[in-house]
Amino acid sequence: SKHNVFKVNGTLFKSCTFPPENEALSTGKDIIALKTDGNKWYVCGKANHCAARQMKLVINVLGEGAPSSSAHSVVSSIIGVVLIATFVIATIF
């Protein structure tokens, strides 16, 4: 109940504006499939966490044609983000 996650677009990400509360991911066990390439934006919609605490995350999903060295770098970055996000979520909940 202290945090949640909203999937938003780039404009809402920048302004820390959120969809309706019923669209929040808040169980701490939500799964988000990254099936298409491009940027994916996520923010915390509680209190002023997005604007004041910068609780926001952007993920750039590369398509299948991306060079292998870039893909390796992205995979390493995503693993790092997942580990950090898991730690933060575990600490919060």
Side-chain angles (χ1 to χ4, degrees):
S1 63
K2 294 180 182 182
H3 298 280
N4 62 20
V5 175
F6 284 101
K7 181 177 185 198
V8 295
N9 63 31
T11 303
L12 298 178
F13 180 84
K14 290 177 187 175
S15 65
C16 287
T17 304
F18 321 109
E21 184 65 31
N22 67 336
E23 294 182 29
L25 304 173
S26 57
T27 68
K29 297 177 183 176
D30 300 285
I31 296 174
I32 302 167
L34 302 173
K35 295 180 179 181
T36 59
D37 60 334
N39 288 333
K40 314 299 179 196
W41 297 275
Y42 302 92
V43 296
C44 178
K46 293 291 184 170
N48 62 351
H49 294 180
C50 181
R53 296 183 183 175
Q54 294 298 301
M55 290 187 166
K56 24 176 28 177
L57 171 69
V58 62
I59 300 171
N60 184 9
V61 179
L62 299 179
E64 287 187 36
S68 62
S69 61
S70 293
H72 179 269
S73 175
V74 169
V75 168
S76 297
S77 297
I78 289 174
I79 290 170
V81 168
V82 169
L83 291 174
I84 291 168
T86 302
F87 174 75
V88 169
I89 291 170
T91 303
I92 292 169
F93 291 100

